Each structure stands twice: as C-alpha cells, then as structure tokens.
C-alpha cells in the first residue's frame, strides 16, 4: 500500500529553520516526521536576523509568538544612510500604529540561536517529531509506494516522503532538479556581534541602520533584548568563488570601506574577528518536487539576503506544505504539486527583488543620487504599500493573503 504520511513518517533532511518549521507544522496537522541533521548538534550561527510581519503570522500558526517575543527586539525604524555623505536617505518607521494597521503584525530582529531554539523546543515538545543528529543524507530512492533514504555510512530508512530542507548546497535538490551549483553573486558578507556597551553611544539605538556605499553596505541592529549588536558588512568581490562560514580578512574589509563616514569605521574597527560568507542564490524555478521528494527553504529558493526574507520564506514554506498535505488527505503527489504552485511565484518574486535591492543599496554616482531622490521623498505609507504583497503574508492555511 502507498504510504500517505500518517502511517510512515516524513523524513526531513536538515534541521535548520526550514526543516524544523516543516516538522512543527506537520505535527500540528497530525503528521509524524523525522528530522535528519548532519551536524552533531542542532544549532544556528551566532548572528542576527530580521523578521517581517509575514513571519509573525507564521509564529502565530506555529504557536511560537510568546517564545519569540521573549527574546526579540522591536526596532523603531529601518534607516538608510548614505555612507559617503552621511545624509539620511530614508527612514521607515516600524511598529507604529500605522505599521500595525497596515500589517497587523510587528517587525523584529532576533538572534538566530533564539529563533532556532524556539523552533527546536517546540519540536521537542511534539511527540510526532523525532529529532536525530549526526545523520547525513546522501541520497534517496523513490519506490513509488514510499521513499528509501540513504545515509553516509551505508544505512537506509523508509518513510512516506522526503522533504529536502538541506539548504543552499542541497543534496535533495541535486536529485529533484539537478541544476548544478548555486550562482555565486560576487558579493561577500562579513558578520560579527558586538556587546552593546562597546557600540559607540550615538549608534546604540533600537534601530536597524544601513550605511549604503558604492558596492558596499554595512548594517547594524540590536539583538537579544539589546544586549548585543549584529553587524553585517557586505562588499563586491570576485576574489572568492565559494565558501561558507570561514574567517574574513580584516585588511580587505577596511580597504573596501575606505573613505566612508567615521560612524562606519567606528563600527568596523570594533571587530577583530569576522566570519565570512560568499553570497549565492539561484534563478527561481517552478520545479520543487519529484515523486515523493519535495524541497523547502534555501534548498528550494536560495536568495540574497537584501530583502531579509530567506528564513521568513522558509517558515512560510513549512506552514504551506503541511496545509497542502492535510488538504490532499494523503495524496502526496497532489499535495506537493499544490505546494509548489502556491509558493513559486511568491518566493521567485522575493529572489529577484532581493537582487534589485542589492543594486539599490550598492549604488554609486547618478544611481545613488536617484536613490536619495526617490526614497527620500517617500512617505511611510508609500513604503508600506511597496511591501504589502510581501508583509501581508499567508493565512492560517498557508495561502497568500494578497
Ligand atoms: C548574511 C545573511 C543574512 C541574512 N539575513 C536574513 C534576514 O535578516 N531575514 C531572513 O529571513 N533571512 C535572512 N537570511 C537568509 C536565511 O539565513 C536563510 O534563508 C535560512 O537560514 C535558510 O534556512 P534553511 O533551513 O532553508 O537552510 P539552512 O539554514 O542552511 O539549514 C540547512 C540545514 O540542513 C543541514 N544539512 C545540509 N545538508 C544535509 C544533509 N545532506 N543531511 C542532513 N542535513 C543536512 C545543515 O547542517 C543545516 O542545519 C540571511 C542570510 C545571510 C547569508
């Protein structure tokens, strides 16, 4: 008999934000899952993340609102400064009455381990979720009736289906789509966190501040009830081809930001050791599944971080996928097709818009002047209108509101 997901568990490759959100959403719909994480411990990198109102809608569905509220910071505004002139480019108020009226939910910044920890604790409390570490998925076979997952080391397990939540370099994607390596953007991110007392006093604010410079930007904001600050410095470089989570070159960073405002250097100078990410994405695709395997999160739609939505999209994916599985009552092929159909245009729009935002942040010359002219004269309501399609998010059943 063909496995429907109630009898045999869903295997989930990857215990990041996408994998845990999918496991939790499935448990809420009554489906068992088994999360397979290759690392010896579940965890997230010690950096920050911005979460839009659309993610807060998902926290409500997943029962995480209180846990998130206990650790996040609700910034008063998103501020963009010109890193050369020091002029204010734009200030978008957040968490005002007008913001809440527009989107119903708040905007926050959170320490990644706090967000991941909230998901993990909720999964641990669900008897339907099995969590396993040190389990590196190497491939799978689709028998038609079920899926047989292979692990490095030779062991195999059988389940109803395989959810590929294994990130940018996804093994599951290789088998489902087979479209080769991700696209290396030529943009490099250096990340660090700084104890709040070390942040220069004029910058120690509950505000997301982005210093936009030619082919660079620096963003900083508070985390963990404003006890620490997150710093992300991005610059263009074709020197790096690929890599992940290695240490950055401080001299190179300083040279890329040469000539920028003293506030930028005051922040950069505080950090002795940076972690480096070579930023990658992919072209959007509408192929998200093959037989009994389906993709979510960065495995499905890796994006540049300029719209601050990769993790938000991963959580939306989990809620939407579980809802489509429940609606299709065990017909997984139908469920996966409906899931991809309801997600690919939304996530594709985020992938492409993120690239465009990167161009706007890193503009120089006339383009930077245009940025100042067009964004500087914009009223907050116009800024809200521009992201309504994104922040209005999904309803409780994972369908897009707008
Ligand atoms: C600099 C930067 C800033 C960002 N800022 C934001 C932001 O402000 N807001 C936002 O929403 N998003 C942001 N993002 C994007 C966000 O971090 C990602 O989109 C999100 O973490 C993706 O989660 P994921 O679970 O899909 O993938 P991952 O976090 O990559 O998790 C994949 C998991 O799968 C595991 N795994 C991999 N291969 C295997 C295997 N073969 N078998 C078993 N397990 C495996 C990995 O160990 C990992 O735990 C940012 C990204 C970057 C780089």
């Amino acid at each position: 008999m063909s496995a429907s997901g109630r009898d045999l568990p869903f295997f989930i490759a990857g215990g990041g934000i996408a994998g845990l959100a999918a496991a939790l959403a499935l448990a809420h719909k009554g489906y068992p899952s088994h999360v397979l994480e290759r690392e010896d411990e579940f965890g997230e990198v010690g950096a920050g993340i911005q979460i839009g109102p659309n993610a807060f809608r998902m926290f409500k569905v997943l029962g995480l609102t209180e846990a998130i509220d206990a650790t996040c910071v609700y910034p008063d505004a998103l501020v963009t400064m010109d890193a050369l002139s020091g002029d204010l480019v734009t200030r978008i108020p957040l968490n005002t009455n007008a913001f809440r009226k527009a989107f119903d939910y708040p905007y926050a910044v959170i320490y990644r381990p706090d967000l991941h920890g909230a998901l993990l604790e909720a999964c641990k409390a669900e008897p339907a979720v099995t969590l396993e570490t040190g389990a590196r998925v190497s491939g799978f076979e689709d028998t038609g009736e079920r899926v047989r997952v292979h692990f490095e080391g030779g062991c195999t397990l059988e389940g109803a289906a395989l959810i590929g939540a294994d990130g940018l370099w996804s093994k599951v994607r290789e088998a489902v789509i087979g479209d080769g390596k991700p696209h290396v953007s030529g943009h490099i991110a250096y990340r660090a966190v700084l104890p709040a007392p070390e942040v220069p006093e004029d910058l120690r604010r509950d505000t997301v501040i982005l210093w936009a410079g030619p082919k660079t930007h620096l963003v900083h904001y508070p985390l963990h009830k404003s006890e620490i600050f997150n710093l992300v410095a991005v610059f263009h470089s074709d020197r790096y081809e690929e890599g992940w989570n290695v240490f950055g070159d401080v001299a190179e960073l300083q040279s890329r930001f040469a000539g920028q405002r003293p506030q930028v250097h005051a922040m950069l100078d505080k950090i002795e050791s940076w972690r480096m990410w070579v930023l990658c994405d992919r072209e959007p695709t509408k192929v998200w599944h093959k037989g009994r395997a389906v993709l979510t999160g960065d495995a499905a739609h890796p994006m540049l971080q300029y719209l601050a939505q990769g993790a938000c999209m991963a959580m939306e994916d989990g809620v939407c996928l579980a809802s489509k599985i429940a609606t299709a009552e065990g017909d997984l092929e139908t469920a996966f097709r409906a899931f991809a159909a309801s997600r690919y245009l939304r996530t594709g729009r985020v992938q492409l818009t993120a690239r465009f935002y990167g161009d706007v942040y890193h503009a120089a010359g006339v383009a930077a002047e245009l940025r100042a002219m067009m964004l500087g004269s914009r009223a907050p309501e116009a800024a809200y209108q521009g992201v309504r399609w994104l922040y209005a998010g999904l309803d409780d059943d994972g369908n897009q509101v707008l």
Side-chain angles (χ1 to χ4, degrees):
M1 209 181 82
S2 189
S4 69
R6 296 244 186 238
D7 34 11
L8 282 176
F10 286 89
F11 281 114
I12 301 177
I17 291 165
L20 295 182
L24 193 55
L26 281 169
H28 286 192
K29 296 282 183 191
Y31 290 92
S33 68
H34 188 145
V35 182
L36 306 159
E37 170 54 47
R38 70 177 170 191
E39 302 296 337
D40 291 336
E41 280 180 24
F42 285 98
E44 254 286 351
V45 57
I49 200 162
Q50 303 182 48
I51 38 183
N54 54 315
F56 274 88
R57 281 178 188 265
M58 300 300 95
F59 293 146
K60 185 174 153 235
V61 177
L62 296 172
L64 295 174
T65 309
E66 272 182 36
I68 299 300
D69 180 62
T71 53
C72 75
V73 175
Y74 298 105
D76 59 1
L78 291 173
V79 167
T80 304
M81 305 292 294
D82 187 306
L84 294 182
S85 67
D87 292 341
L88 174 72
V89 177
T90 176
R91 181 178 189 281
I92 303 172
L94 300 172
N95 302 318
T96 56
N97 287 341
F99 186 90
R100 287 297 184 105
K101 195 166 160 229
F103 303 119
D104 294 333
Y105 292 89
Y107 194 102
V109 284
I110 192 165
Y111 193 44
R112 280 169 181 264
D114 292 340
L115 169 57
H116 186 267
L119 282 161
L120 187 62
E121 286 311 309
C123 283
K124 282 182 183 166
E126 285 290 347
V129 179
T130 303
L131 296 164
E132 187 173 343
T133 52
R136 187 181 284 260
V137 173
S138 58
F140 63 92
E141 285 164 73
D142 188 336
T143 68
E145 310 284 289
R146 52 191 62 189
V147 77
R148 193 170 298 134
V149 179
H150 297 268
F151 297 88
E152 266 182 23
C155 120
T156 59
L157 284 174
E158 286 196 346
L162 176 62
I163 298 172
D166 49 345
L168 179 66
W169 302 94
S170 168
K171 275 266 169 220
V172 182
R173 183 177 178 119
E174 243 172 74
V176 169
I177 309 181
D179 55 351
K181 289 181 170 187
H183 167 248
V184 177
S185 67
H187 300 192
I188 312 292
Y190 278 31
R191 283 160 142 181
V193 289
L194 192 59
E198 290 185 33
V199 175
E201 220 175 312
D202 56 328
L203 299 175
R204 208 181 305 149
R205 305 206 311 251
D206 281 355
T207 306
V208 178
I209 302 180
L210 185 146
W211 297 88
K215 296 188 177 174
T216 68
H217 80 267
L218 168 71
V219 63
H220 50 83
Y221 51 79
L223 294 173
H224 207 63
K225 292 293 162 205
S226 307
E227 288 166 10
I228 50 178
F229 270 68
N230 188 54
L231 271 69
V232 185
V234 177
F235 58 88
H236 292 202
S237 170
D238 51 15
R239 202 156 75 81
Y240 305 97
E241 295 218 322
E242 62 188 51
W244 185 251
N245 207 5
V246 290
F247 288 100
D249 174 346
V250 177
E252 177 172 24
L253 181 69
Q254 290 289 358
S255 76
R256 300 277 173 177
F257 285 80
Q260 298 198 4
R261 299 301 296 172
Q263 295 96 317
V264 172
H265 288 282
M267 279 302 228
L268 296 181
D269 290 349
K270 291 278 176 192
I271 307 292
E272 281 166 16
S273 163
W274 296 86
R275 286 273 182 179
M276 182 189 87
W277 274 258
V278 175
L279 301 170
C280 301
D281 69 354
R282 287 184 188 271
E283 295 302 321
T285 172
K286 49 166 86 176
V287 181
W288 287 37
H289 83 287
K290 189 173 169 189
R292 287 180 173 264
V294 66
L295 305 172
T296 72
D298 276 7
H301 44 67
M303 55 186 64
L304 300 179
Q305 81 284 13
Y306 301 126
L307 211 48
Q309 278 285 329
C312 301
M313 287 296 121
M315 291 185 282
E316 287 190 359
D317 286 347
V319 169
C320 180
L321 178 60
S323 169
K324 299 298 176 200
I325 288 169
T327 305
E329 292 177 349
D331 177 352
L332 297 184
E333 179 73 32
T334 300
F336 294 167
R337 203 176 311 115
F339 167 61
S342 110
R343 295 296 294 154
Y344 80 91
L345 284 176
R346 178 167 172 79
T347 53
R349 187 169 177 183
V350 179
Q351 284 171 289
L352 298 181
T353 309
R355 288 181 183 172
F356 173 68
Y357 270 45
D359 291 343
V360 173
Y361 293 159
H362 300 162
V366 174
E369 280 186 48
L370 269 172
R371 176 182 67 201
M373 187 188 87
M374 294 173 75
L375 298 184
S377 58
R378 199 173 51 155
E381 287 66 28
Y384 299 160
Q385 192 55 35
V387 284
R388 246 191 97 59
W389 65 274
L390 181 60
Y391 289 171
L394 310 186
D395 63 20
D396 291 3
D397 292 322
N399 298 311
Q400 188 162 333
V401 172
L402 287 179

